[in-house]
Amino acid sequence: MSGKPTNKPTEEKAASKKSMPKKSVPKKSVPKKSVTDKKTGKPPRKQGTENPGVAKPRRWKATLFGLFSVLLVVFAAWLIYLDAEVRRAFDGKKWALPAKVYARPLALYPGLLLSPEQLQAELQWSDYRQSATADRPGTYQRVGNTWRIYRRGFPFWDGPEPSRIIEVTLRSERVEKVSDQQSAQALVRLEPQYIGGIFPVHNEDRELVRLEDVPPVLVAALIITEDKRFFEHWGISPTGIARAMVANVNAGRMVQGGSTLTQQLVKNFFLTNERSLSRKVQEAFMSLLLELHYDKEEILEAYINEVYLGQSGRRSIHGFGLASRFYFGKPLRELDNAEIATLVGLVKGASFYNPRRNPQRSKDRRDLILGLMAENQVITEAESLRAKRSPLLTASPKRAGQREYPAFLELAKQQLQQDYRLQDLQSEGLRIFTTLDPWVQSAVESSAEAHLSSIETRAPRLKGKLETAAVITSVDGGEIRALLGGRDASFFGFNRALNAKRAVGSLAKPAVYLAALRSGNYHWGTLVDDSPVTVEGQDGSLWQPKNYDKKSHGMLPMQETLQRSLNQATARLGMTVGLEKVVDELVRLGIRDDLTPYPSLLLGAMSLSPFEMTQMYQTIASEGFLMPLRTIDAVTTAEGDMLSSYAIRGQQVYDPVTMEWLTSGLKAVVREGTARRLNDLPQPLAGKTGTSDEQRDAWYAGFDNRHLGVIWVGMDDNTPMPFTGSSGALPIWQESFRRMGTEPLAPSRSLIEIPVNPQGQLLEDGCSGKVYAFPASWQAQDRIACESGVQSIGKGIRSWFERLF
């Protein structure tokens, strides 16, 4: 034995194991040898492996941290974007302000033709109130023929004028005396009426006011009603939101909002009316940002100018400044406590509490607010009770100061766009001073409707089908004083005054007679043949015009053929003078359409709009001065700085004497011709009737010393009517000028009177004969000596037989 220990038992044991059959034992039931790290007491990790029980929480936390970081960055970027939007809007121009369009101001001076009815209407249309003392701006007092007017201040285009007291005395439909307590001026202007706007696409309208110009009572009433803690919170009110949530949960629906004034401003100014949580969250953050950058006064002023308070047709009323004029016809500073409470009540629901549509509901809301005002010591209890007892009165929404004039505004807009971009007219708050005369416009509108309704009773088949258009201008300046685009003066649609091209009929005839007078071969006493006319066209067709009475009248003085509007005589005269010369006269008078020299043109076989015909007659009425018809006097910025002033433009295209000579013939048309029904108006007047073929169109164009008016009556489908120019259109002109006030034409300065015998020969002065007007240069023409009575009688009888047979 070697002494070494042996492994025999082990080997034997191992051998015995090998020889024993293997027993199937589940793997999990075999205990593993526990090996621990001596330092940590924990099992060592194998290289390249992780403990899954620890890795998963760490990955989740890392992912969550990364997601939170991304959301934080996005949220920060969103806040930065919101902040930029808030500051951009509030630091820049907050609103797209429509151009405000005004009528002409009423200028008062001694000698002005002005009736008491017109002066009172003009004051009422400008929202003046009659009072016993006229002790504040916007009021007037009448004692007999004297009017005491406390005129409001106004920023005219040539400079602002303060409020002042003026006195006007009327006598025999004219201004006898004007006195101004603040100056020695002989001319005083009343502020012009607002007649419409050039609105943005969304048609919002507002009148901006500064916070210092808003009555403190209104500011206080607004705050205690809508947001009592306005000066304490930072844009949102947690207590208000909580209170609203409780009320809404209890009601099971949205019955109360927790919005502050700031949130309301943000919603109206930046956001839509969408009801969603995301929008409310955005509203809250924008409100906080708004409060961060701007003080309470700026926010309050913006709210007062932004809040929606009603609707006027296509125009939405925003802000208390415009709402005050819209509902009560006065500026904010003139409102009483009851009116203030009524406006504040509209904030909760402009349609629901509309004082015109829902007067009782509006009054209940008004009285509730008046009670709150007394409770919060904004007004006294006595003032509150007195205001509650006052009736709920509003100004008429149809009054002239609130209605629009669509036909006139369409033309004004067209003319403005020659110098201004439409975008600027819709957004820069420009002040547009126009030529519209509300008194003239009112006269034309009412006269047209009354006459059309009257003649429709004589032709029931036409009831509601007759249409009309009218243009009234100033004789000396071509300023459009009234424009009627159709029977419904408030209709925003087809403007017949500008766009209805209709056959003008006999309204074209003065151009024929003008060509004859200018040829040097004719005067008003020259004999013209009124016998049948036949003209063969190039295609073999025959043109055979007939007189209205279907008769021929032989040789007649040229003035009589115009007076009676005889077609055969006019056609013969025009053919003799020359078609080209007549076309030249039409163009020279202002007709811009391409005119083909066909014989039928002599009798008005051309289609022109009332506006185009007015341009022609304007040249006649203004003694040969061709001027573009205009609607604009001046344009200023919202602050009153002058941008454009539009003076009279044009050129003298005719000798004034020649135009006076032509006008003398048009005076005869009124005196003893187809327009003689006008003899009940002050004379002399001048004009011409017109009737197209088959009486499809009735026209009248005439003027006095102040105004030119062109009237058209017809049907849109061109159907014949049982009316002529004398019966269809002239009565509208007649009644319009009666209401406006008619000023006779001034006596001729350049014409003389010369007697003419029945043969059309000039007689010596003092001879017995028909007297006609002539230019003074005809004084030197050869004359015929006076004839004896027998010779004269004999020639007269011979002339009578010639006419008869």
Side-chain angles (χ1 to χ4, degrees):
M1 292 180 64
S2 61
K4 288 183 179 181
T6 64
N7 292 325
K8 189 174 180 180
T10 303
E11 291 172 358
E12 289 176 354
K13 190 175 180 180
S16 66
K17 285 182 178 180
K18 288 180 181 179
S19 63
M20 291 175 65
K22 291 184 178 179
K23 188 178 180 180
S24 178
V25 181
K27 189 175 181 180
K28 63 179 181 178
S29 64
V30 178
K32 293 183 179 180
K33 186 177 181 180
S34 177
V35 180
T36 60
D37 189 289
K38 293 181 178 180
K39 292 183 179 180
T40 63
K42 298 179 180 180
R45 290 183 182 178
K46 291 184 180 181
Q47 192 172 1
T49 66
E50 294 181 358
N51 186 337
V54 176
K56 287 182 180 178
R58 289 192 175 183
R59 269 203 312 271
W60 179 81
K61 289 179 181 179
T63 302
L64 185 62
F65 178 77
L67 181 61
F68 178 76
S69 299
V70 171
L71 290 176
L72 188 62
V73 170
V74 171
F75 177 70
W78 180 66
L79 277 183
I80 292 171
Y81 167 76
L82 288 184
D83 186 70
E85 285 294 296
V86 168
R87 298 183 70 176
R88 178 189 59 78
F90 252 68
D91 289 341
K93 183 165 65 72
K94 296 182 179 65
W95 296 281
L97 296 177
K100 290 193 174 295
V101 185
Y102 296 93
R104 62 91 183 101
L106 178 60
L108 302 170
Y109 55 87
L112 173 69
L113 185 63
L114 182 70
S115 67
E117 292 77 18
Q118 179 181 350
L119 180 55
Q120 181 149 337
E122 298 258 6
L123 290 169
Q124 291 175 346
W125 292 340
S126 293
D127 293 321
Y128 277 72
R129 284 172 168 73
Q130 189 167 4
S131 75
T133 55
D135 56 352
R136 61 177 181 169
T139 60
Y140 71 95
Q141 173 195 27
R142 180 182 180 182
V143 179
N145 293 325
T146 299
W147 305 65
R148 176 185 169 91
I149 304 168
Y150 202 143
R151 195 204 68 182
R152 300 185 185 101
F154 190 82
F156 290 93
W157 63 88
D158 52 359
E161 292 186 8
S163 59
R164 58 183 54 180
I165 297 175
I166 61 175
E167 287 191 357
V168 183
T169 302
L170 303 183
R171 189 81 62 188
S172 301
E173 307 269 306
R174 290 190 182 272
V175 175
E176 181 180 67
K177 179 183 178 184
V178 178
S179 61
D180 182 347
Q181 293 188 2
Q182 279 73 35
S183 72
Q185 294 180 349
L187 185 149
V188 179
R189 295 176 293 186
L190 296 182
E191 71 269 25
Q193 296 172 33
Y194 170 83
I195 60 169
I198 301 176
F199 300 109
V201 176
H202 45 69
N203 287 328
E204 287 186 6
D205 195 11
R206 53 176 50 81
E207 182 176 307
L208 295 185
V209 293
R210 296 174 302 176
L211 188 59
E212 56 263 35
D213 296 328
V214 179
V217 173
L218 190 152
V219 175
L222 178 64
I223 290 173
I224 64 173
T225 305
E226 294 295 321
D227 188 359
K228 199 169 183 179
R229 300 176 63 85
F230 174 72
F231 286 101
E232 299 171 16
H233 61 64
W234 285 86
I236 59 174
S237 174
T239 57
I241 295 173
R243 185 170 57 252
M245 289 178 64
V246 171
N248 295 335
V249 169
N250 291 336
R253 58 190 176 89
M254 182 70 74
V255 296
Q256 192 178 118
S259 297
T260 64
L261 282 181
T262 310
Q263 286 176 277
Q264 293 180 40
L265 175 61
V266 166
K267 181 184 70 174
N268 295 334
F269 200 78
F270 297 101
L271 306 174
T272 67
N273 288 322
E274 174 195 359
R275 288 176 175 265
S276 67
L277 179 61
S278 62
R279 194 198 65 76
K280 290 296 291 183
V281 170
Q282 183 176 353
E283 175 188 296
F285 277 105
M286 293 183 85
S287 299
L288 290 169
L289 290 169
L290 197 62
E291 295 267 0
L292 177 65
H293 292 298
Y294 304 96
D295 59 38
K296 293 288 187 180
E297 287 72 19
E298 289 179 280
I299 294 171
L300 188 58
E301 182 177 277
Y303 182 90
I304 286 171
N305 285 303
E306 169 62 26
V307 63
Y308 172 74
L309 295 174
Q311 196 74 26
S312 174
R314 65 185 183 128
R315 181 173 63 132
S316 59
I317 308 299
H318 286 259
F320 285 93
L322 184 59
S324 176
R325 294 191 183 276
F326 177 67
Y327 289 107
F328 300 111
K330 58 176 76 170
L332 273 177
R333 60 182 174 274
E334 295 179 16
L335 295 180
D336 60 31
N337 291 331
E339 291 164 339
I340 286 172
T342 303
L343 288 187
V344 172
L346 290 169
V347 173
K348 190 174 182 181
S351 178
F352 193 76
Y353 293 106
N354 186 307
R356 293 184 180 127
R357 297 178 183 173
N358 305 302
Q360 187 57 50
R361 193 182 293 159
S362 177
K363 186 178 185 302
D364 292 342
R365 177 71 176 163
R366 179 200 76 174
D367 292 348
L368 174 66
I369 293 172
L370 286 169
L372 290 174
M373 292 164 69
E375 287 176 19
N376 291 271
Q377 300 179 344
V378 175
I379 58 177
T380 66
E381 189 67 37
E383 289 172 329
S384 176
L385 291 173
R386 188 161 52 250
K388 288 179 181 179
R389 286 195 296 267
S390 66
L392 183 67
L393 299 176
T394 60
S396 169
K398 296 183 179 180
R399 67 192 190 279
Q402 281 299 317
R403 58 157 293 189
E404 292 187 83
Y405 300 82
F408 181 87
L409 287 175
E410 179 183 345
L411 179 59
K413 187 174 171 181
Q414 289 178 11
Q415 295 187 349
L416 283 166
Q417 286 185 263
Q418 297 173 12
D419 299 314
Y420 296 90
R421 298 185 306 165
L422 179 59
Q423 177 185 348
D424 295 332
L425 295 172
Q426 292 175 329
S427 64
E428 296 301 320
L430 302 180
R431 290 173 175 262
I432 314 296
F433 296 92
T434 73
T435 62
L436 182 81
D437 186 323
W439 178 251
V440 175
Q441 181 76 28
S442 173
V444 173
E445 289 177 4
S446 56
S447 300
E449 179 55 39
H451 178 64
L452 294 184
S453 297
S454 174
I455 61 177
E456 282 177 345
T457 61
R458 305 199 298 269
R461 69 179 179 82
L462 302 180
K463 189 169 181 61
K465 296 180 179 179
L466 289 176
E467 273 296 348
T468 187
V471 184
I472 311 292
T473 65
S474 65
V475 165
D476 56 356
E479 300 122 329
I480 294 180
R481 297 304 189 192
L483 194 74
L484 187 61
R487 189 168 180 172
D488 182 359
S490 63
F491 179 62
F492 283 86
F494 184 58
N495 190 337
R496 295 167 186 82
L498 303 182
N499 303 316
K501 299 274 191 174
R502 305 294 296 227
V504 301
S506 298
L507 245 58
K509 288 179 179 176
V512 177
Y513 291 88
L514 177 60
L517 293 174
R518 279 171 39 86
S519 71
N521 300 319
Y522 293 86
H523 55 74
W524 287 120
T526 303
L527 297 183
V528 179
D529 187 5
D530 185 56
S531 59
V533 176
T534 299
V535 178
E536 184 176 352
Q538 294 180 352
D539 59 355
S541 61
L542 299 179
W543 181 60
Q544 296 176 309
K546 303 295 183 183
N547 290 327
Y548 179 72
D549 62 3
K550 310 302 183 191
K551 297 178 181 179
S552 299
H553 303 279
M555 302 298 291
L556 295 174
M558 190 170 78
Q559 181 171 289
E560 187 173 342
T561 65
L562 176 62
Q563 288 172 199
R564 299 170 63 179
S565 198
L566 298 176
N567 291 335
Q568 293 176 168
T570 304
R572 281 188 174 277
L573 178 64
M575 296 291 290
T576 303
V577 172
L579 282 171
E580 291 77 9
K581 288 186 177 180
V582 174
V583 170
D584 288 345
E585 300 299 351
L586 287 167
V587 172
R588 196 170 185 179
L589 285 168
I591 301 301
R592 293 291 172 258
D593 280 24
D594 292 332
L595 302 175
T596 305
Y598 291 129
S600 58
L601 189 74
L602 301 170
L603 303 182
M606 54 183 174
S607 295
L608 298 171
S609 69
F611 182 80
E612 291 169 317
M613 285 311 301
T614 305
Q615 183 68 76
M616 169 180 161
Y617 276 84
Q618 181 71 41
T619 307
I620 299 172
S622 63
E623 297 185 349
F625 194 79
L626 176 61
M627 65 190 90
L629 305 181
R630 63 189 180 92
T631 60
I632 311 300
D633 271 335
V635 179
T636 73
T637 65
E639 294 74 30
D641 297 327
M642 175 71 79
L643 292 177
S644 305
S645 178
Y646 295 83
I648 297 174
R649 294 181 295 111
Q651 57 180 325
Q652 191 77 43
V653 294
Y654 285 103
D655 177 7
V657 177
T658 301
M659 285 294 103
E660 276 199 85
W661 199 12
L662 176 63
T663 297
S664 69
L666 297 176
K667 288 179 182 178
V669 172
V670 175
R671 186 173 62 249
E672 47 191 326
T674 57
R676 58 185 174 276
R677 68 176 291 164
L678 295 179
N679 282 321
D680 64 339
L681 295 178
Q683 296 294 320
L685 304 172
K688 183 70 187 76
T689 55
T691 309
S692 66
D693 287 346
E694 300 184 40
Q695 298 179 192
R696 299 176 189 274
D697 304 276
W699 294 85
Y700 184 70
F703 52 94
D704 68 358
N705 202 47
R706 296 193 304 165
H707 295 112
L708 160 69
V710 174
I711 311 292
W712 168 84
V713 170
M715 286 190 279
D716 289 337
D717 62 2
N718 216 28
T719 302
M721 309 175 295
F723 308 112
T724 64
S726 297
S727 60
L730 185 145
I732 296 176
W733 191 100
Q734 180 181 27
E735 187 58 26
S736 297
F737 274 65
R738 189 196 314 281
R739 296 186 186 199
M740 291 157 44
T742 308
E743 189 168 276
L745 289 165
S748 173
R749 302 183 301 272
S750 308
L751 300 181
I752 60 174
E753 291 185 338
I754 299 177
V756 177
N757 67 17
Q759 290 73 45
Q761 297 169 311
L762 276 63
L763 299 174
E764 293 180 350
D765 292 340
C767 292
S768 176
K770 176 76 172 178
V771 175
Y772 295 96
F774 286 84
S777 59
W778 282 68
Q779 181 71 50
Q781 292 286 329
D782 292 337
R783 311 276 196 94
I784 294 177
C786 297
E787 300 169 337
S788 69
V790 174
Q791 289 175 315
S792 179
I793 292 172
K795 288 185 178 180
I797 293 174
R798 187 164 59 251
S799 175
W800 181 78
F801 270 99
E802 287 175 352
R803 296 187 193 184
L804 187 61
F805 300 106

